[in-house]
Amino acid sequence: MQIIHTVQELRQWRKNAGRVAFVPTMGNLHEGHLALVREAKKRADHVVVSIFVNRLQFGQGEDFDRYPRTLQQDADKLAGEGVAVVFAPDEKELYPHVEQRYNVEPPHLQNELCGRFRPGHFRGVATVVSKLFNIVAPDVACFGKKDYQQLAIIKGLTEDLNFNIEIVPVDTGRASDGLALSSRNQYLNETERAEAPRLYRVLNGIADALKGGNLAYADLESAAVRELEAAGWTVDYVEIRRAASLETAHAGDKQLVVLAAARLGQTRLIDNIEVDLL
Ligand code: PAF
C-alpha cells in the first residue's frame, strides 16, 4: 500500500491503475469506514482512500482543531484491507490559496436539516469532494448512509457536474446497542455513551409508528423531540422526509427517511432510518 501526499504523484499513479473505487474520509477510521472500503473492494481493481480533515466544512466553534488526526493507525488498518493507495494531502496541497476562490454551491437543501445548524458545511463538503473526484478520477465512490444529507448532495453534484462516477451508498455501521458508528462517538463520556443509543431507538419508534399506519408526521416528530429532551438531549431536529430527494414528506409518500441530529453534552450526533411503506 502506498501513502501518497501530492496531487501530482496521485495523478501519476492513476495513469496505470485501471478501474478505481474511492472512499473519501477524514481519517480516524472505525469499522464503519472499513465497511465502505470492503464495499469498494468488490467493485474495482484498486481502492483509494483519502484522509483529509477538510477545514472548509467546519464552522466557527466546531471541532476542526481537535478532530483526531491518526494517520499512522489509519494506514495500519487500511493495509490489512488490501487498499492500494492512501491519499493524504496536507492542507497547502489541496488549498494552496489563503482562501478557496472557487466553491461548489449546493442547492437549497444545503440550508435545511443539518445545514440549518451548520451554515456552509455542505458547501465545504461539495467543494472538497469535487476536488477529490477530479484528482482521483475514480470509477466508483462509496459513501455511508449515516450522512444521508451529504449522500444526497453528493449524488446531486455528481449528476449535475457530470462526474462519470457511480455513487454507492453503504448502510450505516452500528455498535451492538444500535449507536451509529462515528469518529465523534469518542467525545462521549461514559454516561453519555450509555445514553447515546436512545437516538436510534427513537428513530425506530417513529419507523414502527409509520409502518403501523400513523402518518401524523408532525406529531411523531414532536413526540420524538420531547422524549430526547426529557432524557437530557439538545435536539437540532427530528424530521420525516422523502427518501429520494429529502423534500418535505407528504401524505401518501411511500419511501421515507427519518433523520435526526441532537447533542449530548458537547457532542452532536446524527442518525437516520429509511422507512419503506410499499
Ligand atoms: O463524510 C466525511 O467524512 C466527509 O464529509 C468527506 C466526505 C470525507 C468530505 O470531507
Side-chain angles (χ1 to χ4, degrees):
M1 187 180 81
Q2 295 183 56
I3 302 185
I4 293 180
H5 296 284
T6 67
V7 173
Q8 194 191 359
E9 269 178 276
L10 196 282
R11 289 214 160 114
Q12 193 56 38
W13 171 85
R14 179 70 185 95
K15 280 185 188 153
N16 306 311
R19 189 174 160 80
V20 167
F22 178 43
V23 180
T25 80
M26 297 204 299
N28 198 236
L29 304 179
H30 49 66
E31 268 303 312
H33 295 109
L34 300 184
L36 296 177
V37 171
R38 287 172 200 142
E39 203 52 55
K41 266 218 94 179
K42 291 185 205 157
R43 292 161 193 271
D45 309 321
H46 299 291
V47 175
V48 175
V49 176
S50 65
I51 295 182
F52 181 67
V53 183
N54 174 38
R55 183 188 291 276
L56 285 194
Q57 69 189 75
F58 289 79
Q60 275 198 344
E62 291 190 348
D63 53 347
F64 176 75
D65 288 329
R66 68 178 178 133
Y67 201 87
R69 283 138 172 105
T70 52
L71 181 59
Q72 195 48 58
Q73 291 97 304
D74 293 343
D76 292 346
K77 288 180 188 163
L78 294 172
E81 297 291 335
V83 166
V85 168
V86 174
F87 179 49
D90 70 14
E91 233 186 312
K92 274 239 143 37
E93 184 69 14
L94 275 205
Y95 298 128
H97 303 284
V98 179
E99 294 253 319
Q100 172 70 4
R101 297 168 303 174
Y102 298 86
N103 289 281
V104 176
E105 199 68 46
H108 191 263
L109 178 57
Q110 71 164 317
N111 301 320
E112 301 177 31
L113 300 166
C114 282
R116 263 202 306 136
F117 302 89
R118 304 189 69 189
H121 169 70
F122 289 110
R123 180 184 199 241
V125 170
T127 300
V128 80
V129 168
S130 301
K131 284 167 72 74
L132 291 167
F133 280 180
N134 280 324
I135 296 163
V136 178
D139 299 281
V140 181
C142 297
F143 289 87
K145 284 193 194 177
K146 179 178 148 278
D147 297 294
Y148 210 87
Q149 187 175 8
Q150 167 173 287
L151 175 62
I153 285 171
I154 286 163
K155 279 184 189 159
L157 81 83
T158 303
E159 201 180 313
D160 284 18
L161 301 182
N162 299 95
F163 285 110
N164 191 15
I165 300 170
E166 182 196 350
I167 304 300
V168 177
V170 179
D171 286 340
T172 303
R174 296 190 179 277
S176 55
D177 58 10
L179 178 65
L181 299 180
S182 164
S183 301
R184 291 190 168 105
N185 292 350
Q186 65 195 275
Y187 300 153
L188 298 168
N189 65 30
E190 211 179 311
T191 318
E192 291 165 347
R193 176 62 190 82
E195 171 58 24
R198 185 186 304 275
L199 189 60
Y200 186 50
R201 287 202 300 275
V202 164
L203 294 180
N204 266 300
I206 297 182
D208 289 344
L210 291 167
K211 287 182 193 151
N214 180 351
L215 300 180
Y217 302 148
D219 293 349
L220 291 169
E221 290 163 355
S222 43
V225 171
R226 278 198 304 277
E227 178 180 339
L228 289 165
E229 285 178 348
W233 297 68
T234 306
V235 180
D236 283 352
Y237 65 86
V238 176
E239 288 198 37
I240 301 167
R241 296 260 176 148
R242 291 183 170 162
S245 61
L246 286 186
E247 287 164 330
T248 305
H250 294 289
D253 287 342
K254 297 294 180 208
Q255 286 176 310
L256 301 168
V257 57
V258 192
L259 308 109
R263 268 166 291 138
L264 262 183
Q266 298 300 304
T267 309
R268 186 175 186 275
L269 300 178
I270 61 171
D271 204 350
N272 64 78
I273 186 166
E274 290 174 312
V275 184
D276 199 336
L277 301 178
L278 283 173

Short mmCIF file of all heavy atoms in Angstrom, two decimals, residues 122-164:
data_model
loop_
_atom_site.label_atom_id
_atom_site.label_comp_id
_atom_site.label_asym_id
_atom_site.label_seq_id
_atom_site.Cartn_x
_atom_site.Cartn_y
_atom_site.Cartn_z
N PHE A 122 -22.17 22.09 3.94
CA PHE A 122 -22.31 21.26 2.73
C PHE A 122 -21.60 21.88 1.52
O PHE A 122 -21.21 21.17 0.60
CB PHE A 122 -23.79 20.97 2.44
CG PHE A 122 -24.37 20.01 3.46
CD1 PHE A 122 -25.30 20.43 4.39
CD2 PHE A 122 -23.92 18.70 3.52
CE1 PHE A 122 -25.79 19.55 5.35
CE2 PHE A 122 -24.41 17.81 4.47
CZ PHE A 122 -25.35 18.24 5.39
N ARG A 123 -21.45 23.19 1.54
CA ARG A 123 -20.64 23.84 0.50
C ARG A 123 -19.19 23.35 0.63
O ARG A 123 -18.53 23.02 -0.36
CB ARG A 123 -20.75 25.34 0.75
CG ARG A 123 -20.03 26.22 -0.17
CD ARG A 123 -20.26 27.63 0.40
NE ARG A 123 -20.01 28.65 -0.56
CZ ARG A 123 -19.08 29.58 -0.41
NH1 ARG A 123 -18.30 29.59 0.67
NH2 ARG A 123 -18.92 30.50 -1.31
N GLY A 124 -18.70 23.27 1.86
CA GLY A 124 -17.35 22.77 2.10
C GLY A 124 -17.20 21.32 1.69
O GLY A 124 -16.18 20.92 1.11
N VAL A 125 -18.23 20.51 1.99
CA VAL A 125 -18.19 19.10 1.60
C VAL A 125 -18.21 18.99 0.08
O VAL A 125 -17.40 18.27 -0.53
CB VAL A 125 -19.40 18.32 2.20
CG1 VAL A 125 -19.50 16.93 1.60
CG2 VAL A 125 -19.28 18.24 3.73
N ALA A 126 -19.14 19.72 -0.56
CA ALA A 126 -19.29 19.62 -2.02
C ALA A 126 -18.00 20.07 -2.71
O ALA A 126 -17.58 19.48 -3.72
CB ALA A 126 -20.47 20.47 -2.49
N THR A 127 -17.37 21.08 -2.17
CA THR A 127 -16.14 21.60 -2.78
C THR A 127 -15.01 20.58 -2.66
O THR A 127 -14.35 20.25 -3.65
CB THR A 127 -15.74 22.94 -2.13
OG1 THR A 127 -16.82 23.87 -2.33
CG2 THR A 127 -14.47 23.50 -2.73
N VAL A 128 -14.80 20.04 -1.47
CA VAL A 128 -13.67 19.11 -1.32
C VAL A 128 -13.94 17.80 -2.07
O VAL A 128 -13.02 17.23 -2.68
CB VAL A 128 -13.32 18.85 0.17
CG1 VAL A 128 -14.24 17.84 0.83
CG2 VAL A 128 -11.87 18.41 0.29
N VAL A 129 -15.18 17.33 -2.06
CA VAL A 129 -15.47 16.07 -2.76
C VAL A 129 -15.27 16.27 -4.27
O VAL A 129 -14.72 15.41 -4.95
CB VAL A 129 -16.89 15.55 -2.41
CG1 VAL A 129 -17.31 14.42 -3.34
CG2 VAL A 129 -16.92 15.07 -0.95
N SER A 130 -15.66 17.43 -4.80
CA SER A 130 -15.45 17.68 -6.23
C SER A 130 -13.96 17.71 -6.55
O SER A 130 -13.51 17.16 -7.56
CB SER A 130 -16.08 19.02 -6.63
OG SER A 130 -17.45 18.99 -6.36
N LYS A 131 -13.17 18.36 -5.68
CA LYS A 131 -11.72 18.39 -5.90
C LYS A 131 -11.15 16.97 -5.87
O LYS A 131 -10.37 16.57 -6.73
CB LYS A 131 -11.05 19.25 -4.81
CG LYS A 131 -11.23 20.75 -5.03
CD LYS A 131 -10.83 21.53 -3.78
CE LYS A 131 -9.35 21.56 -3.54
NZ LYS A 131 -8.59 22.43 -4.46
N LEU A 132 -11.57 16.20 -4.87
CA LEU A 132 -11.05 14.83 -4.75
C LEU A 132 -11.47 13.98 -5.95
O LEU A 132 -10.69 13.17 -6.45
CB LEU A 132 -11.52 14.20 -3.43
CG LEU A 132 -10.89 14.83 -2.17
CD1 LEU A 132 -11.64 14.39 -0.92
CD2 LEU A 132 -9.40 14.46 -2.05
N PHE A 133 -12.71 14.16 -6.41
CA PHE A 133 -13.16 13.43 -7.61
C PHE A 133 -12.27 13.80 -8.80
O PHE A 133 -11.88 12.94 -9.59
CB PHE A 133 -14.61 13.77 -7.94
CG PHE A 133 -15.65 13.02 -7.11
CD1 PHE A 133 -17.01 13.24 -7.32
CD2 PHE A 133 -15.28 12.10 -6.14
CE1 PHE A 133 -17.97 12.55 -6.59
CE2 PHE A 133 -16.25 11.41 -5.39
CZ PHE A 133 -17.59 11.64 -5.62
N ASN A 134 -11.94 15.06 -8.94
CA ASN A 134 -11.09 15.49 -10.06
C ASN A 134 -9.67 14.94 -9.94
O ASN A 134 -9.02 14.64 -10.94
CB ASN A 134 -11.03 17.02 -10.15
CG ASN A 134 -12.26 17.58 -10.84
OD1 ASN A 134 -12.76 16.97 -11.79
ND2 ASN A 134 -12.75 18.70 -10.38
N ILE A 135 -9.19 14.82 -8.73
CA ILE A 135 -7.81 14.35 -8.53
C ILE A 135 -7.72 12.83 -8.69
O ILE A 135 -6.87 12.31 -9.40
CB ILE A 135 -7.29 14.78 -7.13
CG1 ILE A 135 -7.23 16.31 -7.03
CG2 ILE A 135 -5.94 14.13 -6.82
CD1 ILE A 135 -7.13 16.84 -5.61
N VAL A 136 -8.64 12.12 -8.03
CA VAL A 136 -8.56 10.65 -8.01
C VAL A 136 -9.15 10.05 -9.28
O VAL A 136 -8.75 8.97 -9.71
CB VAL A 136 -9.28 10.09 -6.74
CG1 VAL A 136 -9.27 8.58 -6.71
CG2 VAL A 136 -8.64 10.65 -5.48
N ALA A 137 -10.12 10.74 -9.87
CA ALA A 137 -10.81 10.26 -11.08
C ALA A 137 -11.26 8.80 -10.93
O ALA A 137 -10.89 7.94 -11.74
CB ALA A 137 -9.92 10.43 -12.31
N PRO A 138 -12.04 8.52 -9.88
CA PRO A 138 -12.45 7.13 -9.67
C PRO A 138 -13.58 6.73 -10.62
O PRO A 138 -14.25 7.60 -11.20
CB PRO A 138 -12.97 7.14 -8.24
CG PRO A 138 -13.52 8.53 -8.06
CD PRO A 138 -12.64 9.43 -8.88
N ASP A 139 -13.81 5.42 -10.73
CA ASP A 139 -14.97 4.93 -11.47
C ASP A 139 -16.17 4.81 -10.53
O ASP A 139 -17.32 4.93 -10.96
CB ASP A 139 -14.65 3.55 -12.06
CG ASP A 139 -13.48 3.66 -13.02
OD1 ASP A 139 -13.70 4.09 -14.15
OD2 ASP A 139 -12.33 3.38 -12.62
N VAL A 140 -15.88 4.53 -9.27
CA VAL A 140 -16.92 4.31 -8.26
C VAL A 140 -16.49 5.04 -6.99
O VAL A 140 -15.29 5.09 -6.70
CB VAL A 140 -17.00 2.80 -7.92
CG1 VAL A 140 -18.07 2.52 -6.89
CG2 VAL A 140 -17.19 1.96 -9.13
N ALA A 141 -17.46 5.58 -6.23
CA ALA A 141 -17.12 6.14 -4.93
C ALA A 141 -18.17 5.70 -3.91
O ALA A 141 -19.36 5.70 -4.21
CB ALA A 141 -17.06 7.66 -4.99
N CYS A 142 -17.71 5.30 -2.73
CA CYS A 142 -18.62 4.78 -1.69
C CYS A 142 -18.80 5.81 -0.57
O CYS A 142 -17.82 6.37 -0.07
CB CYS A 142 -18.04 3.50 -1.09
SG CYS A 142 -17.92 2.18 -2.29
N PHE A 143 -20.06 6.02 -0.19
CA PHE A 143 -20.40 6.96 0.89
C PHE A 143 -21.38 6.30 1.85
O PHE A 143 -22.28 5.57 1.42
CB PHE A 143 -21.06 8.22 0.31
CG PHE A 143 -20.10 9.09 -0.45
CD1 PHE A 143 -19.87 8.86 -1.80
CD2 PHE A 143 -19.42 10.12 0.18
CE1 PHE A 143 -18.97 9.65 -2.51
CE2 PHE A 143 -18.51 10.91 -0.53
CZ PHE A 143 -18.29 10.67 -1.87
N GLY A 144 -21.22 6.58 3.13
CA GLY A 144 -22.10 5.99 4.14
C GLY A 144 -23.46 6.67 4.19
O GLY A 144 -23.56 7.88 4.02
N LYS A 145 -24.48 5.84 4.45
CA LYS A 145 -25.83 6.40 4.58
C LYS A 145 -26.02 7.15 5.89
O LYS A 145 -27.03 7.80 6.09
CB LYS A 145 -26.87 5.28 4.50
CG LYS A 145 -27.10 4.74 3.12
CD LYS A 145 -28.36 3.88 3.17
CE LYS A 145 -28.49 3.03 1.94
NZ LYS A 145 -29.66 2.14 2.03
N LYS A 146 -25.09 7.00 6.82
CA LYS A 146 -25.25 7.74 8.08
C LYS A 146 -25.32 9.24 7.79
O LYS A 146 -26.09 9.96 8.39
CB LYS A 146 -24.09 7.44 9.03
CG LYS A 146 -24.25 8.22 10.31
CD LYS A 146 -23.15 7.90 11.28
CE LYS A 146 -22.85 9.11 12.11
NZ LYS A 146 -21.97 10.05 11.43
N ASP A 147 -24.50 9.69 6.85
CA ASP A 147 -24.54 11.10 6.43
C ASP A 147 -25.49 11.19 5.24
O ASP A 147 -25.09 11.42 4.10
CB ASP A 147 -23.14 11.57 6.07
CG ASP A 147 -22.21 11.52 7.27
OD1 ASP A 147 -22.44 12.28 8.21
OD2 ASP A 147 -21.28 10.70 7.27
N TYR A 148 -26.77 11.04 5.53
CA TYR A 148 -27.77 10.88 4.47
C TYR A 148 -27.90 12.13 3.62
O TYR A 148 -28.03 12.07 2.41
CB TYR A 148 -29.12 10.56 5.13
CG TYR A 148 -30.03 9.72 4.27
CD1 TYR A 148 -29.94 8.32 4.32
CD2 TYR A 148 -30.97 10.29 3.43
CE1 TYR A 148 -30.76 7.53 3.54
CE2 TYR A 148 -31.79 9.51 2.65
CZ TYR A 148 -31.69 8.12 2.71
OH TYR A 148 -32.51 7.35 1.94
N GLN A 149 -27.84 13.27 4.28
CA GLN A 149 -27.97 14.54 3.54
C GLN A 149 -26.72 14.77 2.69
O GLN A 149 -26.82 15.22 1.54
CB GLN A 149 -28.17 15.69 4.54
CG GLN A 149 -28.48 17.01 3.90
CD GLN A 149 -28.80 18.08 4.93
OE1 GLN A 149 -28.64 17.87 6.14
NE2 GLN A 149 -29.24 19.25 4.48
N GLN A 150 -25.57 14.44 3.25
CA GLN A 150 -24.32 14.54 2.47
C GLN A 150 -24.41 13.65 1.23
O GLN A 150 -24.06 14.06 0.12
CB GLN A 150 -23.15 14.11 3.36
CG GLN A 150 -21.86 13.87 2.60
CD GLN A 150 -20.68 13.61 3.51
OE1 GLN A 150 -20.19 14.53 4.15
NE2 GLN A 150 -20.21 12.38 3.59
N LEU A 151 -24.90 12.43 1.42
CA LEU A 151 -25.02 11.49 0.29
C LEU A 151 -25.94 12.07 -0.79
O LEU A 151 -25.61 12.01 -1.99
CB LEU A 151 -25.57 10.16 0.83
CG LEU A 151 -25.88 9.07 -0.16
CD1 LEU A 151 -24.62 8.63 -0.91
CD2 LEU A 151 -26.49 7.85 0.57
N ALA A 152 -27.06 12.67 -0.38
CA ALA A 152 -27.99 13.25 -1.36
C ALA A 152 -27.31 14.38 -2.13
O ALA A 152 -27.46 14.50 -3.36
CB ALA A 152 -29.24 13.77 -0.65
N ILE A 153 -26.55 15.20 -1.43
CA ILE A 153 -25.87 16.33 -2.08
C ILE A 153 -24.78 15.83 -3.02
O ILE A 153 -24.63 16.34 -4.14
CB ILE A 153 -25.36 17.32 -1.00
CG1 ILE A 153 -26.56 18.10 -0.44
CG2 ILE A 153 -24.28 18.25 -1.54
CD1 ILE A 153 -26.31 18.96 0.75
N ILE A 154 -24.09 14.78 -2.62
CA ILE A 154 -23.03 14.24 -3.49
C ILE A 154 -23.63 13.57 -4.73
O ILE A 154 -23.10 13.72 -5.83
CB ILE A 154 -22.10 13.33 -2.69
CG1 ILE A 154 -21.24 14.23 -1.80
CG2 ILE A 154 -21.23 12.47 -3.60
CD1 ILE A 154 -20.56 13.58 -0.69
N LYS A 155 -24.75 12.88 -4.54
CA LYS A 155 -25.42 12.31 -5.73
C LYS A 155 -25.81 13.44 -6.68
O LYS A 155 -25.62 13.33 -7.89
CB LYS A 155 -26.70 11.57 -5.31
CG LYS A 155 -26.48 10.18 -4.79
CD LYS A 155 -27.85 9.57 -4.51
CE LYS A 155 -27.78 8.25 -3.79
NZ LYS A 155 -29.07 7.95 -3.12
N GLY A 156 -26.33 14.52 -6.14
CA GLY A 156 -26.77 15.65 -6.96
C GLY A 156 -25.61 16.30 -7.69
O GLY A 156 -25.69 16.59 -8.89
N LEU A 157 -24.50 16.51 -6.99
CA LEU A 157 -23.38 17.19 -7.66
C LEU A 157 -22.74 16.29 -8.71
O LEU A 157 -22.30 16.75 -9.75
CB LEU A 157 -22.37 17.76 -6.64
CG LEU A 157 -21.31 16.88 -6.00
CD1 LEU A 157 -20.08 16.71 -6.88
CD2 LEU A 157 -20.88 17.50 -4.69
N THR A 158 -22.73 14.99 -8.44
CA THR A 158 -22.16 14.05 -9.42
C THR A 158 -22.94 14.11 -10.72
O THR A 158 -22.37 14.14 -11.81
CB THR A 158 -22.18 12.62 -8.83
OG1 THR A 158 -21.47 12.63 -7.61
CG2 THR A 158 -21.54 11.62 -9.77
N GLU A 159 -24.28 14.18 -10.56
CA GLU A 159 -25.14 14.23 -11.74
C GLU A 159 -25.01 15.59 -12.44
O GLU A 159 -24.74 15.66 -13.64
CB GLU A 159 -26.58 14.02 -11.27
CG GLU A 159 -27.52 13.56 -12.33
CD GLU A 159 -28.92 13.39 -11.74
OE1 GLU A 159 -29.07 12.77 -10.66
OE2 GLU A 159 -29.87 13.91 -12.35
N ASP A 160 -25.16 16.66 -11.67
CA ASP A 160 -25.23 17.99 -12.28
C ASP A 160 -23.88 18.45 -12.84
O ASP A 160 -23.84 19.23 -13.79
CB ASP A 160 -25.75 19.03 -11.27
CG ASP A 160 -27.25 18.92 -11.08
OD1 ASP A 160 -27.82 17.87 -11.44
OD2 ASP A 160 -27.86 19.87 -10.57
N LEU A 161 -22.78 17.99 -12.25
CA LEU A 161 -21.46 18.40 -12.75
C LEU A 161 -20.85 17.33 -13.66
O LEU A 161 -19.67 17.42 -14.02
CB LEU A 161 -20.52 18.73 -11.58
CG LEU A 161 -20.99 19.84 -10.64
CD1 LEU A 161 -19.94 20.11 -9.55
CD2 LEU A 161 -21.28 21.13 -11.38
N ASN A 162 -21.67 16.33 -14.02
CA ASN A 162 -21.25 15.31 -14.99
C ASN A 162 -19.99 14.55 -14.60
O ASN A 162 -19.17 14.21 -15.45
CB ASN A 162 -21.06 15.92 -16.39
CG ASN A 162 -22.34 16.52 -16.90
OD1 ASN A 162 -22.58 17.72 -16.76
ND2 ASN A 162 -23.19 15.69 -17.47
N PHE A 163 -19.83 14.28 -13.31
CA PHE A 163 -18.75 13.36 -12.94
C PHE A 163 -19.16 11.97 -13.39
O PHE A 163 -20.29 11.53 -13.10
CB PHE A 163 -18.54 13.36 -11.42
CG PHE A 163 -17.83 14.58 -10.91
CD1 PHE A 163 -18.50 15.52 -10.14
CD2 PHE A 163 -16.48 14.78 -11.19
CE1 PHE A 163 -17.85 16.64 -9.66
CE2 PHE A 163 -15.82 15.91 -10.71
CZ PHE A 163 -16.51 16.84 -9.94
N ASN A 164 -18.28 11.29 -14.08
CA ASN A 164 -18.60 9.96 -14.58
C ASN A 164 -18.24 8.92 -13.50
O ASN A 164 -17.33 8.11 -13.67
CB ASN A 164 -17.81 9.72 -15.88
CG ASN A 164 -18.29 8.49 -16.59
OD1 ASN A 164 -19.35 7.96 -16.30
ND2 ASN A 164 -17.48 8.00 -17.52
#
